[in-house]
Amino acid sequence: SAVISQKPSRDICQRGTSLTIQCQVDSQVTMMFWYRQQPGQSLTLIATANQGSEATYESGFVIDKFPISRPNLTFSTLTVSNMSPEDSSIYLCSVEERAGENYGYTFGSGTRLTVV
Amino acid sequence: GDSVTQMEGPVTLSEEACLTINCTYTATGYPSLFWYVQYPGEGLQLLLKATKADDKGSNKGFEATYRKETTSFHLEKGSVQVSDSAVYFCALSDRGSARQLTFGSGTQLTVLP
């Protein structure tokens, strides 16, 4: 399965600043996903990022707050903009892997963000 | 829309006890079903999956069977270990255009020696 390198693994940021999270995949993948996991909660999809097109955002998430880049088939970034303490969460990227009818999802190790 | 309902935790068991974590789903199509595990301070790891009715996924002593008639995918293990302490997430993926994972709320499992 694909190996995802996600950076940074954790950060403590001041409110009002922005943080860019990077995910590098060791193989070409079509679909990448960004999730948020608030403390003690499950994962919520932020957006789907396909190479060469605008990211598709889920209800409650907007591009101005969470801009995403997907410049090629192995890389994506998520920026958390104008941060507030409510943005303190774990952010995870994920890729879909398909081989015919068989498919699955691999996750990065996550970015633990604390906003103070 | 698609949804996953997962047994609420936390669950605390003694080592070598039997484990069952219930998971039921609602989906319009024929989803693939997954169990992911999150160890303390780590990301998500795929534990097992099943892609069609009556399939059984298994890994590390854990099993789950895709039951279409009861729309369930319960996670079971006959004898848990302290190292199984983690949060377990049930998830589904609709094979249609959406293709992202929909997660249950997660179940915290603690195994005591």
Side-chain angles (χ1 to χ4, degrees):
Chain A
S1 60
V3 175
I4 303 174
S5 174
Q6 183 172 344
K7 296 179 181 179
S9 59
R10 60 180 62 234
D11 208 342
I12 300 174
C13 300
Q14 297 291 324
R15 68 175 66 202
T17 63
S18 298
L19 175 71
T20 295
I21 302 167
Q22 301 180 358
C23 273
Q24 178 75 52
V25 190
D26 70 345
S27 59
Q28 294 184 338
V29 293
T30 301
M31 301 192 75
M32 293 184 72
F33 306 92
W34 288 96
Y35 290 87
R36 179 176 73 183
Q37 185 181 21
Q38 295 178 298
Q41 302 295 313
S42 187
L43 282 78
T44 301
L45 182 67
I46 298 171
T48 301
N50 291 334
Q51 191 267 337
S53 62
E54 293 286 330
T56 303
Y57 289 82
E58 297 300 301
S59 176
F61 297 96
V62 295
I63 188 171
D64 289 347
K65 176 67 175 177
F66 298 101
I68 288 171
S69 78
R70 183 80 201 275
N72 57 53
L73 291 173
T74 64
F75 187 78
S76 180
T77 67
L78 169 76
T79 299
V80 186
S81 302
N82 188 24
M83 289 183 284
S84 66
E86 292 70 34
D87 294 320
S88 298
S89 296
I90 300 173
Y91 293 85
L92 300 104
C93 63
S94 175
V95 300
E96 181 199 57
E97 299 179 83
R98 280 186 178 252
E101 286 296 309
N102 192 22
Y103 71 103
Y105 300 85
T106 300
F107 284 80
S109 55
T111 296
R112 188 177 296 270
L113 170 63
T114 302
V115 183
V116 297
Chain B
D2 297 343
S3 66
V4 177
T5 301
Q6 195 173 333
M7 171 177 154
E8 291 191 14
V11 175
T12 302
L13 297 173
S14 297
E15 203 165 25
E16 299 183 3
C18 294
L19 169 70
T20 299
I21 300 177
N22 290 335
C23 172
T24 58
Y25 67 89
T26 302
T28 54
Y30 299 93
S32 292
L33 302 173
F34 305 82
W35 277 101
Y36 281 87
V37 58
Q38 186 175 37
Y39 297 103
E42 299 185 12
L44 266 69
Q45 299 177 25
L46 177 64
L47 182 59
L48 54 84
K49 70 178 184 181
T51 58
K52 61 183 186 295
D54 300 324
D55 270 1
K56 177 186 284 188
S58 61
N59 186 24
K60 299 181 181 179
F62 291 89
E63 293 184 339
T65 301
Y66 190 144
R67 301 286 188 198
K68 187 178 176 198
E69 63 276 14
T70 55
T71 61
S72 65
F73 193 55
H74 305 322
L75 183 67
E76 299 175 326
K77 187 174 186 181
S79 175
V80 294
Q81 306 299 312
V82 172
S83 57
D84 293 327
S85 298
V87 180
Y88 292 81
F89 292 95
C90 185
L92 70 80
S93 173
D94 189 334
R95 299 183 213 195
S97 59
R99 291 166 72 174
Q100 72 267 24
L101 283 167
T102 299
F103 285 89
S105 56
T107 301
Q108 171 77 57
L109 170 66
T110 301
V111 181
L112 303 176

